[in-house]
Amino acid sequence: MKISCIGAGYVGCVTGTAFAALGYRTTIIDINSQRIDALINGRSPIYEPGLDILIKKTIGNTLYADYSYNYVSNSDVIFIAVGTPSTNGGNVDLSYVEIAAKNIGENLNPFGFTVIVNKSTVPVGTADLVTTIIEETSGLKNGKQFAVVSNPEFLREGYALEDVFLPDRIVVGSNSEKASQIMKKLYSKIVTREGFNTFSDVITLNRKCHPSLPRYYETDVKSSEMIKYASNAFLAVKISYINEVARLSDALGANALDVARGMGMDSRIGEKFLEVSSGWSGSCFPKDTSEFLLTSQQENCELSIVASAIKSNKEMHDYCISKAVRSLGTLNNRTIGILGLTFKPNTDDARNTQASYIIEMLLKNGATVKVHDPQGAEMFKSLNGHLDIEYCSDPLDVFTEAEAVMLLTHWSEYLYIHWEDAFKRMHNPYFLDTRNYLKDIGLSDIGFYYEGIGVPSHKQSVTTSAASLIKI
Ligand SMILES: NC(=O)c1ccc[n+]([C@@H]2O[C@H](COP(=O)([O-])OP(=O)(O)OC[C@H]3O[C@@H](n4cnc5c(N)ncnc54)[C@H](O)[C@@H]3O)[C@@H](O)[C@H]2O)c1
């Protein structure tokens, strides 16, 4: 079986490389020549642990990369993994999917049967849209020479290879029996883990227990498209909920970490996604919750819980700022250091992160801001040119003459900062750890005024009303 993968991003690169590693001849196609050049030269165009190694092993053997859609005519399965960002209005922008579908249609093999797979996160009805575009551009017949299926992706950046090789579930939505059979065959190696030893060294097997075999779940196309949005929105709601619990814990003097642990022991709740933070962000949750909510409103069937989670999430960003305000009195003329610009560690993806909102608010309130991120600074800078901030290549430099430092992303290297040196560099040693990541390394003993979120500290707790202290 031969595969094409349209899009060499976080999903396309990982998916294409994974299928190549499983022995399928796979061509990754992208209009971004830098990404294709990187692949051709055996490098990953994105930062994702283990991916470089797997690309080096497969490129030129089973993995190929191309700027043109020529190889599409030679493929049995074509994944569409292009971006689906938000429009200014908050709905999904499907233009990249539409262009990809048009290009596929213009190159489709008229003599075979090709399965076109929507792997991008797309709203209900997109498979129908892609089908129409391909019929119009190719003159071929849906169900005869091709079929479009939905196969949403659930990988997490930073653990993408693990998630693609060892997923919890594979969801396939298809209205064509022939396409369903091809998809089942394609995924059989992942479902059975046949031949996994050859690349097990690059899978970051850090799950607490060895995961069981994935579930292969087949449904109709529309339900499959909905599963992705419903899942992401649910996870966003769960995070917003524990963050609200953390705010209440701050107000009442409870420990949100203990509360979360106690809640997570209930198998109906589960321990995952109960980690307190400055809020969810990144390239998926904000755009996916926005699209899902707007669609529900357009259908007069509002997902009010999702609406609340979005509102609550922004309040969580503000709450973190208000903690700093409460400690410093004002942000005006204060120097604030930021550790972490990506929405989570182990990725360079700095799209739509809480850091951009929080930094913008700090600047609006008169602060000077210095930032550090081990991998995401370059992308953050290219996306946030309007933010007048200092980028530091050494995390210690964000502490220099700072009145406060906020940790937003829990990169493991931050555990190894020379903390005595960091302390000496600060004008005022206020440290806000929005991930409660450094709570056990004794920062208070060094002299920092260390605060987490939802965990008791030795100063007066901050209530939600403190949000009124900042200019929004
Ligand atoms: N990033 C994640 O963690 C993640 C997880 C699950 C699902 N998704 C979904 O997967 C999709 C892709 O996300 P991503 O993060 O990989 O995006 P990305 O922006 O990293 O990559 C998309 C790639 O598609 C390319 N592209 C755009 N139009 C093209 C065209 N017409 N032909 C060929 N290439 C084209 C772009 O140049 C880019 O390299 C989105 O719908 C996203 O919501 C992402």
Side-chain angles (χ1 to χ4, degrees):
M1 210 181 302
K2 295 188 185 108
I3 299 172
S4 286
C5 188
I6 315 297
Y10 292 86
V11 169
C13 263
V14 173
T15 305
T17 308
F19 279 112
L22 290 168
Y24 296 108
R25 192 193 192 285
T26 305
T27 305
I28 298 178
I29 296 164
D30 203 300
I31 47 174
N32 179 330
S33 56
Q34 279 180 341
R35 288 192 160 178
I36 293 301
D37 288 344
L39 283 167
I40 290 171
N41 290 309
R43 283 183 289 107
S44 171
I46 53 159
Y47 177 77
E48 180 60 46
L51 190 57
D52 253 333
I53 303 170
L54 209 54
I55 288 170
K56 264 195 195 81
K57 280 190 181 180
T58 49
I59 196 78
N61 297 317
T62 47
L63 180 64
Y64 298 85
D66 209 326
Y67 320 94
S68 90
Y69 276 68
N70 291 343
Y71 190 75
V72 155
S73 62
N74 207 6
S75 306
D76 304 295
V77 176
I78 303 166
F79 285 100
I80 299 179
V82 299
T84 50
S86 274
T87 61
N88 286 341
N91 270 121
V92 65
D93 173 3
L94 284 177
S95 61
Y96 300 99
V97 173
E98 287 168 5
I99 294 168
K102 186 170 166 284
N103 290 333
I104 291 169
E106 286 165 354
N107 289 278
L108 208 58
N109 177 10
F111 307 111
F113 183 82
T114 314
V115 182
I116 292 106
V117 186
N118 274 344
K119 193 158 253 319
S120 296
T121 302
V122 288
V124 172
T126 306
D128 291 345
L129 173 71
V130 169
T131 302
T132 305
I133 294 172
I134 292 178
E135 279 194 325
E136 281 171 8
T137 46
S138 67
L140 303 177
K141 203 95 200 84
N142 174 35
K144 226 169 164 211
Q145 286 104 344
F146 77 95
V148 179
V149 305
S150 159
N151 171 219
E153 182 52 61
F154 301 101
L155 67 77
R156 298 160 302 164
E157 290 175 16
Y159 303 95
L161 287 174
E162 178 186 340
D163 288 346
V164 168
F165 286 122
L166 308 170
D168 290 332
R169 84 299 211 186
I170 295 154
V171 173
V172 175
S174 169
N175 299 335
S176 151
E177 186 48 37
K178 199 168 177 184
S180 299
Q181 292 308 322
I182 292 171
M183 290 301 287
K184 213 173 203 166
K185 192 161 172 229
L186 179 71
Y187 273 110
S188 62
K189 290 187 184 181
I190 291 178
V191 171
T192 61
R193 301 215 181 121
E194 180 201 318
F196 263 34
N197 292 343
T198 52
F199 50 80
S200 55
D201 52 327
V202 298
I203 305 174
T204 46
L205 273 171
N206 64 353
R207 290 193 179 184
K208 277 194 183 136
C209 48
H210 198 70
S212 49
L213 288 175
R215 288 182 172 169
Y216 189 83
Y217 185 62
E218 292 177 291
T219 180
D220 64 278
V221 171
K222 287 188 176 175
S223 305
S224 170
E225 290 171 332
M226 173 84 102
I227 284 169
K228 176 64 190 179
Y229 281 101
S231 300
N232 271 6
F234 183 82
L235 294 174
V237 166
K238 197 171 176 188
I239 298 171
S240 286
Y241 179 70
I242 198 64
N243 280 338
E244 287 200 359
V245 169
R247 271 137 62 181
L248 187 59
S249 298
D250 265 347
L252 298 177
N255 185 327
L257 302 187
D258 288 351
V259 175
R261 206 168 295 128
M263 286 168 63
M265 286 173 193
D266 184 332
S267 60
R268 295 171 302 176
I269 296 172
E271 64 188 19
K272 290 181 183 163
F273 279 74
L274 287 180
E275 278 143 25
V276 175
S277 66
S278 58
W280 42 268
S281 69
S283 58
C284 290
F285 283 7
K287 76 174 177 64
D288 293 349
T289 48
S290 169
E291 161 60 30
F292 203 35
L293 175 62
L294 282 172
T295 296
S296 73
Q297 287 165 341
Q298 283 150 12
E299 295 298 319
N300 283 327
C301 191
E302 192 191 48
L303 293 162
S304 61
I305 291 173
V306 178
S308 299
I310 294 170
K311 178 172 169 281
S312 164
N313 194 51
K314 189 182 155 295
E315 285 165 4
M316 195 63 206
H317 299 339
D318 292 333
Y319 180 72
C320 292
I321 303 167
S322 70
K323 277 213 162 208
V325 175
R326 182 61 66 103
S327 180
L328 302 179
T330 175
L331 294 172
N332 199 26
N333 292 323
R334 300 286 193 259
T335 298
I336 316 275
I338 298 287
L339 291 174
L341 300 170
T342 53
F343 70 108
K344 55 147 84 166
N346 298 323
T347 180
D348 59 351
D349 193 348
R351 290 177 285 182
N352 235 327
T353 69
Q354 65 273 75
S356 44
Y357 176 82
I358 289 173
I359 292 169
E360 193 166 342
M361 285 302 140
L362 295 176
L363 293 173
K364 263 193 188 156
N365 283 272
T368 300
V369 179
K370 300 176 185 199
V371 302
H372 173 269
D373 190 281
Q375 295 291 340
E378 198 184 324
M379 191 189 294
F380 189 85
K381 194 174 186 175
S382 73
L383 295 171
N384 295 282
H386 61 292
L387 298 179
D388 184 13
I389 54 181
E390 182 187 338
Y391 288 85
C392 304
S393 52
D394 184 334
L396 272 177
D397 290 339
V398 308
F399 291 85
T400 306
E401 291 172 8
E403 271 92 12
V405 170
M406 295 167 77
L407 180 139
L408 298 183
T409 320
H410 50 303
W411 284 95
S412 59
E413 36 264 83
Y414 293 151
L415 285 169
Y416 308 106
I417 286 174
H418 193 297
W419 288 104
E420 282 83 6
D421 189 355
F423 174 72
K424 281 185 205 138
R425 287 170 182 239
M426 291 185 80
H427 267 163
N428 171 58
Y430 176 70
F431 190 91
L432 178 62
D433 179 359
T434 67
R435 304 275 181 164
N436 298 318
Y437 186 57
L438 305 173
K439 63 182 182 351
D440 297 326
I441 67 167
L443 294 186
S444 305
D445 299 340
I446 293 171
F448 283 97
Y449 173 46
Y450 172 88
E451 265 197 324
I453 309 264
V455 291
S457 65
H458 51 272
K459 269 203 180 167
Q460 187 196 1
S461 65
V462 180
T463 60
T464 315
S465 64
S468 61
L469 293 171
I470 57 170
K471 248 193 264 164
I472 298 174

